Structure formats: structure tokens, C-alpha cells
């Protein structure tokens, strides 16, 4: 049976078929749907973890205990999880261990474009690069086999286009893989320097054996075609090369790319002489191929920035382009993402804008507070950076009013350590925790503050106030994010406290508040003075057109933020009621 | 079909473009075609410009449709029609819903919503089908089913029998909206 699946759905299916028993992740685009789909298989114990490092460590425990495991994260998640991952390369595995890094060339939803293939080399582990959903599914099983056979963790690396593109996949039944027996083995699993020195030479030996294996790996294959071009390619590059060149080229399609299948590459280059390397992103393969003393035509022709495309391959190798219409697309306004109508973050940012001089922000929907017209946020770097960044600002610019804004999921992911640091080092910073009770930006995943687990079943809910107090904060306010006066008063008091302070602005995300009665507002034309104060909160449901301010009654949720900024009482419930 | 059929569905995050993509994928599968599809999740879904690419035929390699390659574009919103119009083949067709949704730069007054979108398409010689899908959806008794009305307009122009569309809509959509969805689809199909 064949089914149309995204790469992420296919990876989930692969985990199911390959007998995975434990799967963990922290969400992150474009990887999120892997765990969302795995969670639908009752045979797999799946969980959202508080962050990527934790997810890897839970999976490690399960792997030591003898189960096949899978962990998934977005590319920057590997940075967070790098510590346990690097050392796992020394320990090796008991049950198979595969971790997925979903990279984001072109930065559709990310803060950087890091090419995580380099991690495989750095961690001395195995790199698998699928080009479509079928391969993605198969590589999970094959990767787990390699993991167990060679006693190594395995990196399965996708990109946005692999994770979020659908193609047909043949399904197979689940293989039940018995647990590997667990035996206490300190030399293998307890990282005393003396133990690690014993294992260290074995890692180099393992890499050599893996390199030999890579030459015979079935996914590394020559696809015979025309003699016009000889192309080495992997991952999404393969799709674009094949789309542009079709049968005119002969391809060496690589799927296991680290350790490098040096024998295959050498033979291919010896045979064809002039060989093009079509790889998206950094010259990862090119550098390794050059290190073998071989040459290919790669980045001298193809960009290393952004995504590759069939159009680029066509232009660079064939010198042609598709015929196109010329439409007058001048002055087409952009359509940046926005905080939703009714988003509880909006009013908080409107109040922060009034009281703060410098705002260090963080990663989530609330990063959008930065967009015009709210324009709130001086910095945003990586998850958890807001609070330590603010402390750094406070050290250097003590006269400024400094606010850090951070979401509930981000706070639990990596904000707590920053808050402890802030209290310990007594920085005059007000931290605003935007507690919308969900992991919003990545599509509403549950988290420890939401009170539900990955299956939507009730779970113990952490008490943010207690955590904040336990970190040593004594100046703490909890406010309703929809109540602007209350929020403003708390912010003023917090900033006046002259020390570390926290304001928890609480209100569930409008997109999950399905049970709330929504009463859209309208504008009383006779009361509206067209001062446009309401437009400054940047709600997509309010517009100034044809000389009047108008509220879109379908989009408006009746959150009342605009009503509170209107000095003339011009907002009323649709239908005329006050 | 030696050459795949290339479709773009464009709109604003939250408008239901993903559902339309799912139905087309399911139909192509039912026909026994090879099919590939690509869409953008994440940040853009918060009211940003969104696109789904669908390609089907005997053999499809890349999941993306490039500029100059689309046989049909379905635009759920006018400005998005203009933004993505260069993806059309010179002989392609664009189905444009008349709806206008102001992006934030227009709301804040930093930019203007172009008022001559249909004229620009016409000037470039684009074969354009103009429709008020919201009205048709309301006529069908289901004002929210604008995406399914637009799907009906698209479906009519593809080499696939009506029964297969009905079956796919019934399968992909929730059972309780099946009848309403089919009514909305018919409004588009018979437009
Ligand atoms: C290390 C890392 N992991 C994951 C992500 C993906 N990511 C971006 S925002 C976000 C969720 C933020 O949720 P929350 O803090 O609750 O804010 P909300 O979006 O709900 O406003 C995640 C998981 C990331 N950018 N970096």
C-alpha cells in the first residue's frame, strides 16, 4: 500500500515500522510533525521534552536500557543537545539511536542557516540524507540497523523541503524488535576519563569500518543516464539536479554521506573526469572530496546561501531558463506574519512599549511584537537569551529601564537558568513571562505549563509562580494579559522595584481558547475621532480605509485591547450594545 | 501525462489553503498518478503569505513549482494573486478570489494596497478567472467554505472525473461537514 506522506510523517512511519519504542522531542519548525505523528502510534512511548538536551538524554536512557529510540529537533536544537550527543559517540548504544536534525536552508522559520551535516563529522557519527519521503522512511530503519551494528548514534538530516514535502511512500508492517538485554557496563556508559581513553581508539576504528560500509550502502548508487553531465548529489540537491537535467546526466546519488563513500566517489570521478557536485548549503561534501585529492565543480558555480532550485541548476549547467510572463509587480506590499487578532501578547507589548527603554526579547510568536506598529524588542538571539541578555544590558547601562520578554515554553526550555543567574547577580531587570499556556509558534504543542501531555491527556502542570519564587524573585505580579491597566501598573511597579522582578502575563492563546464566547466589537462612527490610537496596537482586524476606522467582525475576537486604548469610548459590541 | 500538471495554491495563513492541497493530493493518488506536494509551515502561518505547490503526472521529481512553470494558480486573495503570478506558465490560468485582506504594512499606512490588480494581470496577458468565492460559499449555505468553492473552480479545469473529487473531499474533510462541503464544491464546479 502506498500513501502520500510528508517527510516528517514518513519518518514517524519509519520509526513505527522499525520497532522504535521511545521517541522524544522539543518542537521546532520544520521538525515538529515527526513527534506529533509518532504520538499516534500506541506502540511507541512518545513525549514532548522541556528542551532538546533533555529529549536526547531521555532517549539515551531508553537506548542504554535496550530500546530502539528516535529523537527529533530543528537544526538549532542540535546546538542545545550537542553536549550529550557528542559524548554518546564515545559510549555508543545498546538499542539503536537515531536523531533527526531538520535544517532550514533559506530560513523559512529560523534564526540561522547552519548546515548540520558538519555535526556528523564533528561528532564522529553517521550522516544520512534523504531526498524524499520514501527514503526518509527507509533511512530510519536502516539507520537503526547501522546504529546497532556499529555501536554508534546516527544523524538523519532533513531540510524544510524534505520534511514538509509530500510524496508517495510504500508502507510495511511494524517489526517487533526485542529489547536488548541491559547489563551494567561502566566502561561503556560511565564517562570517567579512564573509561573514555579506553574507548577513544575504537571510535577511529569504527569510522574506518563505517567508511568501507558507506561504499556498499544501497542508498549510495550510480544512476546511469546520458553522458552530457556527470553529477554527484545528495538530499534536496538530487531532486533539483534531476528535475533540471533529467536523463541527460549520470548521477552518483549519495544518501549516506558521512563517513564519505570515498571509493564510490573516486571511481565516479575517475570514470567521468569532469564532475559537478550539486549540494545545497555549505560545501560539506566538496571539502571532504577535495581532501581526498579529487576535484569537482561545486560552489564555484552554485550558491552556498539559501535554497538550491531546479532553476539554478538549469541556469548554471544548461544556460537556459523557463519562459515567463512579465507582470507588473511593482509596489506589492509584503505580508509579514502578525500577532493574530485576539492574541494575548498584543496588549502586553503595547504596555511594555510605554514603560521600557530597552527590551530583550526571545523566540516565539511574541517575537512578532517586534513588527510594526508595536516595534517592541531590541534583541532576539536564541531560546532563553532574553533574560541573560537583559542582565548584560543592565550591567552596562544601569540608568535604562530594561525589560526581558519570554514565552512560557521558552521559559521552561532555557529561561529558568537565566532567571536564577539574574537573581543571583542582582540585575535590575523586569522579566515578563508571556504565559499563553501553549507552545504557540510551532503550532500549539503542549508543554509542562499547559497541563496536558503529547496525547492531550491531563498532566501535572508546573506552577510558574512557584518556580519564579524558588529562583529567589520576591517582586512578582501575575496579571491578565487582556487587562491593560493591570498589566501597566504591574510593569511600572516592577521597574520601580530597582531589582530583579517578574510579571507573569497570563491568558491562553486565542487559537486554543475554543470554548470562549467571542463577541466582536464595532466602531461607533459618531464617537470615533479618527485619532488612530487603536491602529497602533497592530491588530489585523482593525483597518483605516476610506477615511474611517473599521473592525472586521469575522476576524475580531472581542479581546478588548483596542477598546482599552480608545480614549473616546468608540468601541462597542457589534450590534450596538455597550 | 508525460509532463506533470503544476498547481500553486496561494493565500494568507489561516485561509484553508492546506486543506485544498490535501484534497488535490488525495485525488491525484486515486488516479494512480505520481504526486508531490510542498508547503510552508511555521512562522508564515501567522497571517503571512502562504503557498502550497502540487504536482502530479506519470513521474514527478521535484516537489516545487518554479517561476514560469504553473499550469494553474488558485489565489485565495487578490494581492497574493499578484505576488505569485509570475509562477504561471505563459499559457497558464489564474483563478482569483476577489477578497482583499490588508497586510500589516497597509493597515499601518506604510504601504498601499494596489487598486489595479486585475488590470495588471490583464495587461500582462494573463488568463484570469475572477470569482467572489465568499459569496458563492454563503450561497451554498456555508460562508466559511471559500476554500472548497475555489477547489471546485480548480477541479473543473483538471483532467479528473467529478466522482473522484467528491470521494476525496468526503475522505479528507470531517464527516459532519461532508454534505455542506460538497454543496460548496458544486458552487465552484458549476461557476
Ligand atoms: C533551540 C530551539 N528549539 C526550538 C525552536 C523552535 N521554536 C521557536 S519558537 C518556539 C516556541 C515558543 O513557545 P512560547 O515560548 O510558549 O511562545 P509562544 O509562541 O507561545 O508565544 C519554538 C519551540 C527554536 N527556535 N530554537
Amino acid at each position: 500500500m502506498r500513501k502520500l506522506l510528508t517527510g516528517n510523517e514518513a519518518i514517524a512511519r519509519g520509526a513505527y515500522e522499525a520497532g522504535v519504542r521511545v521517541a522524544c522531542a522539543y518542537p521546532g519548525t520544520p521538525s515538529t510533525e515527526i513527534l506529533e505523528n509518532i504520538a499516534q502510534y500506541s506502540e511507541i512511548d512518545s513525549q514532548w521534552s522541556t528542551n532538546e538536551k533533555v529529549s536526547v538524554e531521555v532517549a539515551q536512557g531508553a537506548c542504554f536500557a535496550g530500546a530502539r529510540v528516535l529523537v527529533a529537533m530543528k537544526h538549532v536544537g542540535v546546538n542545545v543537545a550537542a553536549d550529550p550527543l557528542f559524548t554518546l559517540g564515545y559510549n555508543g548504544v545498546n538499542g539503536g539511536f537515531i536523531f533527526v536534525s531538520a535544517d532550514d536552508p533559506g530560513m523559512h522559520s529560523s534564526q540561522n542557516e547552519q548546515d548540520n551535516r558538519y555535526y556528523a563529522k564533528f561528532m564522529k557519527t553517521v550522516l544520512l540524507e534523504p531526498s524524499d519521503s520514501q527514503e526518509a522512511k527507509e533511512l530510519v530503519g536502516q539507520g537503526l540497523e547501522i546504529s546497532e551494528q556499529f555501536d554508534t548514534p546516527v544523524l538523519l538530516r532533513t531540510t524544510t523541503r524534505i520534511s514538509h514535502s509530500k510524496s508517495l511512500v510504500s508502507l510495511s508492517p511494524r517489526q517487533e524488535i526485542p529489547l536488548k538485554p541491559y547489563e551494567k557496563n561502566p566502561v561503556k556508559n560511565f564517562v570517567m576519563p579512564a573509561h573514555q581513553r579506553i574507548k577513544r581508539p575504537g571510535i577511529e576504528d569504527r569510522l574506518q569500518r563505517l567508511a568501507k560500509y558507506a561504499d556498499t550502502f544501497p542508498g549510495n548508487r550510480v544512476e546511469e543516464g546520458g553522458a552530457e553531465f556527470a553529477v554527484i548529489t545528495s538530499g534536496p540537491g538530487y531532486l533539483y539536479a534531476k528535475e533540471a537535467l533529467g536523463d541527460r546526466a549520470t548521477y552518483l546519488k549519495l544518501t549516506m554521506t558521512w563517513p564519505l563513500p570515498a571509493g564510490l566517489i573516486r571511481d565516479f570521478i575517475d570514470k567521468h573526469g569532469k564532475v559537478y557536485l550539486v549540494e545545497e548549503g555549505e560545501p560539506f561534501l566538496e571539502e571532504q572530496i577535495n581532501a581526498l585529492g579529487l576535484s569537482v565543480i561545486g560552489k564555484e558555480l552554485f550558491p552556498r546561501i539559501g535554497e538550491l532550485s531546479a532553476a539554478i541548476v538549469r541556469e548554471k549547467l544548461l544556460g537556459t531558463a523557463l519562459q515567463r510572463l512579465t507582470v507588473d509587480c511593482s509596489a506589492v506590499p509584503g505580508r509579514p506574519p502578525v500577532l493574530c487578532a485576539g492574541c494575548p501578547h498584543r496588549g502586553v507589548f503595547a504596555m511594555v512599549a510605554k514603560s521600557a527603554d530597552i527590551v530583550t526579547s526571545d523566540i516565539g510568536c511574541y517575537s512578532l511584537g517586534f513588527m510594526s506598529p508595536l516595534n517592541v524588542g531590541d534583541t532576539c538571539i536564541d531560546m532563553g537569551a532574553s533574560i541573560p541578555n537583559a542582565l548584560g544590558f543592565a550591567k552596562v547601562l544601569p540608568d535604562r529601564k530594561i525589560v526581558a520578554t519570554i514565552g512560557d515554553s521558552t521559559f521552561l526550555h532555557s529561561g529558568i537558568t537565566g532567571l536564577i543567574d539574574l537573581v543571583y547577580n542582582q540585575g535590575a531587570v523586569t522579566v515578563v513571562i508571556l504565559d499563553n499556556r501553549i507552545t504557540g509558534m510551532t503550532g500549539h504543542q503542549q508543554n509542562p505549563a499547559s497541563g496536558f501531555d503529547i496525547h492531550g491527556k491531563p498532566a501535572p502542570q508546573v506552577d510558574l509562580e512557584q518556580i519564579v519564587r524558588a529562583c529567589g524573585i520576591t517582586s512578582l505580579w501575575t496579571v491578565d494579559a487582556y487587562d491593560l491597566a493591570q498589566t501597566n501598573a504591574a510593569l511600572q511597579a516592577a521597574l520601580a522595584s530597582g531589582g530583579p522582578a517578574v510579571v507573569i502575563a497570563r491568558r491562553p492563546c486565542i487559537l486554543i481558547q475554543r470554548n470562549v464566547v467571542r463577541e466582536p466589537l464595532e466602531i461607533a462612527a459618531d464617537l470615533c475621532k479618527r485619532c488612530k490610537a487603536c491602529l497602533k496596537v497592530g491588530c489585523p482586524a482593525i483597518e483605516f480605509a476610506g477615511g474611517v476606522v473599521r473592525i472586521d467582525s469575522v476576524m475580531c475576537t472581542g479581546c478588548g485591547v483596542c477598546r482599552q486604548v480608545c480614549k473616546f469610548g468608540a468601541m462597542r459590541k457589534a450590534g450596538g450594545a455597550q | 501525462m508525460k509532463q506533470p500538471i503544476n498547481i500553486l495554491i496561494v493565500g494568507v495563513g489561516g485561509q484553508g489553503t492546506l486543506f485544498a492541497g490535501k484534497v488535490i493530493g488525495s485525488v491525484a493518488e486515486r488516479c494512480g498518478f505520481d504526486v508531490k506536494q510542498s508547503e510552508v509551515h511555521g512562522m508564515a502561518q501567522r497571517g503571512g503569505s502562504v503557498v502550497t505547490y502540487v504536482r502530479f503526472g506519470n513521474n514527478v521529481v521535484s516537489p516545487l513549482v518554479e517561476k514560469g512553470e504553473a499550469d494553474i494558480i488558485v489565489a485565495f486573495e487578490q494581492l497574493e494573486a499578484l505576488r505569485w503570478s509570475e509562477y504561471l506558465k505563459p499559457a497558464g490560468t489564474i483563478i482569483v478570489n476577489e477578497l482583499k485582506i490588508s497586510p500589516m504594512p497597509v493597515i499601518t499606512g506604510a504601504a498601499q494596497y494596489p487598486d489595479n490588480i486585475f488590470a495588471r494581470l490583464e495587461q500582462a496577458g494573463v488568463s484570469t478567472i475572477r470569482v467572489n468565492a465568499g459569496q458563492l460559499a454563503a450561497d451554498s449555505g456555508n460562508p466559511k467554505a471559500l476554500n472548497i468553492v475555489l477547489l471546485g473552480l480548480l477541479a473543473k479545469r483538471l483532467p479528473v472525473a467529478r466522482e473522484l473529487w467528491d470521494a476525496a473531499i468526503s475522505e479528507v474533510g470531517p464527516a459532519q461537514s461532508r454534505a455542506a462541503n460538497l454543496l460548496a464544491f458544486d458552487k465552484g464546479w458549476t461557476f
Side-chain angles (χ1 to χ4, degrees), chain A residues 348-350 352-354 356-362 366-381 386 389 393 403-405:
Chain A
V348 179
F349 280 114
V352 168
K354 283 184 18 171
D357 298 327
I358 292 170
V359 180
T360 55
S361 193
D362 222 306
Y366 54 96
S367 306
L368 298 173
F370 162 76
M371 307 294 278
S372 188
L374 285 163
N375 301 315
V376 181
D378 291 66
T379 62
C380 176
I381 303 292
S386 55
N389 277 180
F393 268 104
V403 170
T405 54

Side-chain angles (χ1 to χ4, degrees), chain A residues 166 328 330 335 338 543, chain B residues 37-38 46 66 80 102 120:
Chain A
K166 289 184 182 175
D328 174 9
S330 56
R335 192 182 295 278
V338 291
E543 190 175 10
Chain B
Q37 204 170 322
S38 190
R46 298 278 166 270
E66 293 166 51
E80 296 312 312
S102 294
R120 290 198 204 187

Side-chain angles (χ1 to χ4, degrees), chain A residues 26-27 52 345 364-366 383 407-410 436 438-441:
Chain A
Y26 179 73
E52 292 86 353
H345 299 333
C365 285
Y366 54 96
M383 289 193 79
D408 50 339
S409 182
T410 306
N436 63 355
I438 204 80
T439 316
M441 174 107 281

Side-chain angles (χ1 to χ4, degrees), chain A residues 26-29 31-32 51-52 73-80 109-111 339 343 345 362-367 382-383 406-414 434-445 447 509, chain B residues 46:
Chain A
Y26 179 73
T29 313
S31 71
T32 311
N51 67 33
E52 292 86 353
M73 61 204 84
K74 76 180 277 153
H75 61 334
V76 289
V78 181
N79 303 337
V80 176
S109 306
S110 305
Q111 64 263 46
L339 295 174
C343 174
H345 299 333
D362 222 306
I363 305 209
C365 285
Y366 54 96
S367 306
D382 67 285
M383 289 193 79
I406 185 166
D408 50 339
S409 182
T410 306
F411 180 68
L412 296 171
H413 175 280
S414 49
L434 295 141
D435 180 13
N436 63 355
R437 314 258 91 187
I438 204 80
T439 316
M441 174 107 281
T442 42
H444 302 106
Q445 290 74 36
N447 68 46
C509 168
Chain B
R46 298 278 166 270

Side-chain angles (χ1 to χ4, degrees), chain A residues 2-4 6 29 33 108-109 132 161 164-168 238-240 242-243 310-311 314 322-338 340 365 368 372-373 440-444 511 535 538-540 542-544 555, chain B residues 12 22 25-26 29 33-44 46-49 53 55 61-64 66-69 77 79-80 82-83 85-86 88-90 101-108 111-114 120-121 123-126:
Chain A
R2 291 210 304 170
K3 224 177 150 189
L4 191 58
T6 62
T29 313
E33 302 83 5
H108 295 275
S109 306
D132 63 17
R161 298 302 185 183
H164 287 169
S165 293
K166 289 184 182 175
S167 54
L168 291 167
Y238 169 73
L239 300 173
Y240 305 135
K242 194 110 204 235
E243 178 74 31
R314 206 177 283 122
L322 296 177
Q323 241 197 317
R324 262 155 57 178
L325 292 160
T326 335
V327 185
D328 174 9
C329 287
S330 56
V332 172
R335 192 182 295 278
V338 291
C340 304
C365 285
L368 298 173
S372 188
M441 174 107 281
T442 42
H444 302 106
L511 299 181
L535 292 172
C539 177
I542 312 178
E543 190 175 10
F544 184 73
M555 234 192 270
Chain B
V12 178
K22 273 198 187 122
S26 161
E29 223 183 316
F33 287 126
D34 189 14
V35 49
K36 288 203 172 149
Q37 204 170 322
S38 190
E39 54 207 25
V40 173
H41 298 209
M43 194 134 183
R46 298 278 166 270
S49 167
Y53 307 89
R55 312 185 70 201
V61 183
S62 167
L64 301 183
E66 293 166 51
K67 285 188 177 165
E69 218 182 16
E77 197 271 351
L79 185 61
E80 296 312 312
L82 186 57
R83 190 188 314 285
S85 57
E86 291 193 325
L88 218 49
K89 270 183 189 160
I101 301 177
S102 294
M104 199 44 74
V106 169
I107 291 180
T108 60
Q112 287 223 313
Y113 197 105
R120 290 198 204 187
L121 292 173
Q123 206 175 23
V126 180

Side-chain angles (χ1 to χ4, degrees), chain A residues 193-487:
Chain A
H195 295 167
Q196 303 304 84
R197 283 193 288 267
I198 296 171
K199 288 178 289 196
R200 181 70 186 84
I203 296 166
E204 301 306 316
D205 175 59
R206 182 179 75 201
L207 279 174
Q208 286 186 5
R209 286 183 289 121
L210 280 164
K212 286 210 187 83
Y213 175 82
D215 276 333
T216 64
F217 184 68
N220 293 340
R221 58 172 196 267
V222 174
E223 277 181 28
E224 294 293 348
E228 256 180 281
F229 302 96
V231 175
I232 300 178
T233 184
S234 72
Y238 169 73
L239 300 173
Y240 305 135
K242 194 110 204 235
E243 178 74 31
L245 306 174
D247 304 337
R248 297 170 69 172
T250 289
Y251 304 88
L252 174 58
K253 151 71 161 120
L254 299 180
T255 308
M256 176 175 171
T257 44
W258 187 260
L260 205 64
L264 278 178
I265 292 170
R266 196 181 293 279
D267 290 349
F268 191 78
I269 295 176
D270 282 352
K271 180 162 175 204
H272 295 280
K274 184 175 177 187
V275 172
Y276 294 94
L277 175 61
V278 180
E279 72 176 315
E280 189 172 75
E282 301 289 346
F284 173 74
L285 292 174
E286 187 167 346
E287 287 166 4
Q288 317 314 320
I289 292 172
N290 289 342
L292 295 173
L294 300 170
S295 69
V296 282
I297 303 165
K299 292 298 164 190
E300 63 181 273
L301 210 55
F302 299 106
R304 66 162 79 196
I305 299 172
E307 295 186 281
L308 220 51
S309 67
I312 295 174
V313 178
R314 206 177 283 122
E315 180 205 318
K316 300 291 182 187
L317 294 189
L318 302 176
T320 61
L322 296 177
Q323 241 197 317
R324 262 155 57 178
L325 292 160
T326 335
V327 185
D328 174 9
C329 287
S330 56
V332 172
R335 192 182 295 278
V338 291
L339 295 174
C340 304
C343 174
H345 299 333
R346 175 172 290 106
V348 179
F349 280 114
M351 295 302 103
V352 168
K354 283 184 18 171
S355 49
D357 298 327
I358 292 170
V359 180
T360 55
S361 193
D362 222 306
I363 305 209
C365 285
Y366 54 96
S367 306
L368 298 173
F370 162 76
M371 307 294 278
S372 188
L374 285 163
N375 301 315
V376 181
D378 291 66
T379 62
C380 176
I381 303 292
D382 67 285
M383 289 193 79
S386 55
I387 303 174
N389 277 180
L391 174 58
F393 268 104
K395 284 175 189 275
V396 181
L397 303 173
D399 301 332
R400 306 291 189 91
K401 291 182 189 153
I402 297 168
V403 170
T405 54
I406 185 166
D408 50 339
S409 182
T410 306
F411 180 68
L412 296 171
H413 175 280
S414 49
I416 298 171
T417 43
L419 184 63
I420 296 172
D421 197 79
L422 174 70
V423 174
Y424 180 49
N425 294 298
Q426 286 301 298
V429 167
T430 292
V431 176
V432 179
I433 302 178
L434 295 141
D435 180 13
N436 63 355
R437 314 258 91 187
I438 204 80
T439 316
M441 174 107 281
T442 42
H444 302 106
Q445 290 74 36
Q446 304 296 346
N447 68 46
S450 75
F452 296 95
D453 70 7
I454 193 169
H455 306 289
K457 295 207 189 87
Q461 192 170 24
V462 304
D463 183 328
L464 292 180
E465 279 83 347
Q466 278 205 50
I467 292 182
V468 167
R469 285 218 169 82
C471 292
I473 289 282
T474 50
S475 304
L476 169 66
W477 290 262
T478 298
V479 299
D480 175 355
Y482 278 169
D483 186 333
L484 302 196
Q486 191 191 25
T487 303

Side-chain angles (χ1 to χ4, degrees), chain A residues 4 7 26 80 107 112 126 187 341 480 510:
Chain A
L4 191 58
Y26 179 73
V80 176
M107 294 177 278
N112 77 22
V126 176
V187 173
D480 175 355
I510 190 71

